[in-house]
Amino acid sequence: MKIDNIKKDFPIFKEKINGKNLVYLDSANSSQKPKVVIDSISKFYESEYSNVGRSVHTLAVKATNKFEETRDLVKKFINAQFREEIVFTKGATEAINLVANCFGEKFIKEGDEIILTELEHHSNYVPWHYLRNKKKAVIKFARLNDDLEIKADEIQKLITNKTKIIALTHISNVTGGISPIKEIIDLARSKNIPVLIDGTQGAPHIKLDMQSLDCDFYAISCHKIYGPNGLGILYGKKKWLDQFPPYQGGGGMINEVKKDVVTFAESPIKFEAGTMQTAEVVAFSESLKLINKIGIEKINEHENKVLNYGIQELKKNNSVKIIGNPKKRASVISFTIKGIHPHDIATILDDEGVAIRAGHHCCQILHDKIGVSATARASIGLYNDKKDIDALIGSIEKCKKVFKL
């Protein structure tokens, strides 16, 4: 499947924004949805709807089978060893909260240490902050270098005999920097320390292989991978999930319930309490099929061409400052324009049909480090091309004219 004309498969690009063609450069926030995903949700509700894992009638069996087929597709997509290592959640945020709660409840005690980095999205800090308060644990932040990169030796400096887990992002949603996660995982493995990877920006752009990577946990946000909202995936090594207590209680995740005792289902079902997002799980299979048809390597190659072109063009503008200079980078360019607030940049760009994000991108610790409260961010998906970058550059020139720069 060719990527050059992929926009035709995404209905949103037929829409006009302020009378202009939509240029969507906000995929790090949330990606647009292909028609196959939209149609799958509609079809499921129209002719296939039922809850999963409960009833034995035809619709229920069919829905359950489709639900579990998606689990198998995810297993293959990330090359997990066991299908039981794939847990469906409400999002990557819940996936990280699940680990922080379950791992923390069983393995963290007062004075134990958790290593994060200064790059982290709030979703990979706040759950550990809750755990710190609850268990009187200690959080250490690995420092970034001047290019806003994280290096393995900065992690190594923080490791002590009290280090119980390391949690870090795969790709920064501010700088686009690709963390040396394999090097850090190998370091942690040599010291028997588990590692959680926040893969919300990694999964849409980089080929994943959990068996080769050897991390203990990997969190995925499906709405950033051209899939539905309200759905995430936690990959967790079976040895951990089998030890964890359930994250939530309710229907579906039990084995037997008596007045004086409750026993639980095996992983991953014990982590999927209540009525699951069945239509969304079923539809997500179409997202994965689309990516597989194109090839994640081809997507990565295409996006890197667009990304590098964008950086090259933005660097020509003396008023623009690109945030960070990581040697390995993917999909994201955050920037400021001297004399213009990022929210004003985003508003003027929107007048031109160009959609970007402005703000702290849920990374206030990083923004505090660089000494600004907000940045503008253009982020790239498989449907973007060099023409979109040209539209971005043209709109930035309009910003400068409006502010007489």
Side-chain angles (χ1 to χ4, degrees), residues 104-373:
E105 188 65 35
K106 196 169 180 69
F107 298 105
I108 297 288
K109 61 183 185 297
E110 184 174 349
D112 284 344
E113 296 170 354
I114 300 156
I115 296 177
L116 309 179
T117 81
E118 293 177 327
L119 278 177
E120 301 314 311
H121 188 283
H122 297 162
S123 293
N124 196 32
Y125 167 52
V126 178
W128 304 107
H129 166 74
Y130 287 158
L131 181 61
R132 171 174 61 185
N133 287 351
K134 181 179 180 181
K135 290 295 191 86
K136 297 182 180 178
V138 176
I139 294 178
K140 293 181 174 180
F141 291 93
R143 292 181 179 275
L144 305 178
N145 64 17
D146 291 342
D147 291 327
L148 302 185
E149 298 171 307
I150 189 67
K151 296 293 186 181
D153 59 358
E154 288 298 319
I155 300 284
Q156 188 169 19
K157 289 176 187 176
L158 300 180
I159 293 175
T160 72
N161 59 7
K162 292 186 176 182
T163 304
K164 290 298 185 287
I165 192 166
I166 299 168
L168 74 155
T169 188
H170 193 165
I171 296 176
S172 168
N173 72 318
V174 176
T175 69
I178 302 173
S179 302
I181 57 172
K182 179 57 179 169
E183 188 179 351
I184 291 168
I185 292 164
D186 289 346
L187 168 65
R189 190 70 56 240
S190 70
K191 298 177 181 297
N192 295 316
I193 301 167
V195 178
L196 176 143
I197 303 297
D198 175 358
T200 50
Q201 303 300 332
H205 307 290
I206 293 178
K207 184 173 177 59
L208 299 177
D209 185 333
M210 292 301 116
Q211 294 186 63
S212 174
L213 197 58
D214 200 31
C215 63
D216 298 270
F217 310 100
Y218 196 97
I220 294 173
S221 179
C222 297
H223 73 94
K224 298 181 194 292
I225 321 179
Y226 315 105
N229 280 7
L231 181 64
I233 293 158
L234 172 66
Y235 160 80
K237 279 187 175 179
K238 192 172 183 297
K239 70 172 186 178
W240 291 114
L241 297 184
D242 286 348
Q243 293 181 72
F244 283 180
Y247 173 52
Q248 300 177 88
M253 48 73 71
I254 55 86
N255 179 33
E256 188 176 50
V257 175
K258 301 294 184 183
K259 285 184 176 180
D260 56 352
V261 67
V262 176
T263 58
F264 304 109
E266 299 296 317
S267 301
I269 305 303
K270 70 177 176 181
F271 300 110
E272 295 175 354
T275 297
M276 296 297 290
Q277 314 91 300
T278 313
E280 288 77 7
V281 171
V282 170
F284 184 58
S285 68
E286 298 299 330
S287 307
L288 296 180
K289 289 173 187 175
L290 177 69
I291 291 171
N292 289 335
K293 281 180 183 177
I294 300 169
I296 190 69
E297 294 93 345
K298 286 184 179 179
I299 291 171
N300 182 255
E301 181 183 355
H302 169 79
E303 290 176 342
N304 282 340
K305 287 178 181 177
V306 178
L307 175 72
N308 292 332
Y309 179 68
I311 292 170
Q312 168 193 309
E313 293 301 304
L314 284 169
K315 281 183 175 179
K316 293 176 181 178
N317 193 321
N318 292 332
S319 299
V320 174
K321 179 183 178 182
I322 295 175
I323 305 302
N325 186 34
K327 294 174 184 65
K328 292 185 178 181
R329 174 179 219 145
S331 70
V332 172
I333 312 171
S334 293
F335 62 94
T336 56
I337 302 176
K338 188 175 181 180
I340 312 178
H341 193 280
H343 289 138
D344 292 326
I345 298 171
T347 300
I348 294 170
L349 264 59
D350 183 59
D351 288 340
E352 299 299 302
V354 179
I356 66 165
R357 184 174 174 184
H360 53 63
H361 318 304
C362 298
C363 284
Q364 287 180 298
I365 290 173
L366 177 56
H367 280 76
D368 286 346
K369 183 179 181 67
I370 62 178
V372 296
S373 60

Side-chain angles (χ1 to χ4, degrees), residues 49-85:
Y49 178 75
S50 182
N51 210 334
V52 300
R54 290 159 172 80
S55 304
V56 295
H57 56 72
T58 298
L59 287 174
V61 171
K62 187 175 181 181
T64 300
N65 288 342
K66 286 197 166 190
F67 186 95
E68 293 301 330
E69 283 168 11
T70 301
R71 199 187 306 274
D72 289 329
L73 276 173
V74 173
K75 172 186 175 291
K76 185 175 181 181
F77 183 71
I78 65 173
N79 194 31
Q81 186 174 2
F82 305 105
R83 70 188 312 275
E84 293 82 7
E85 295 176 324

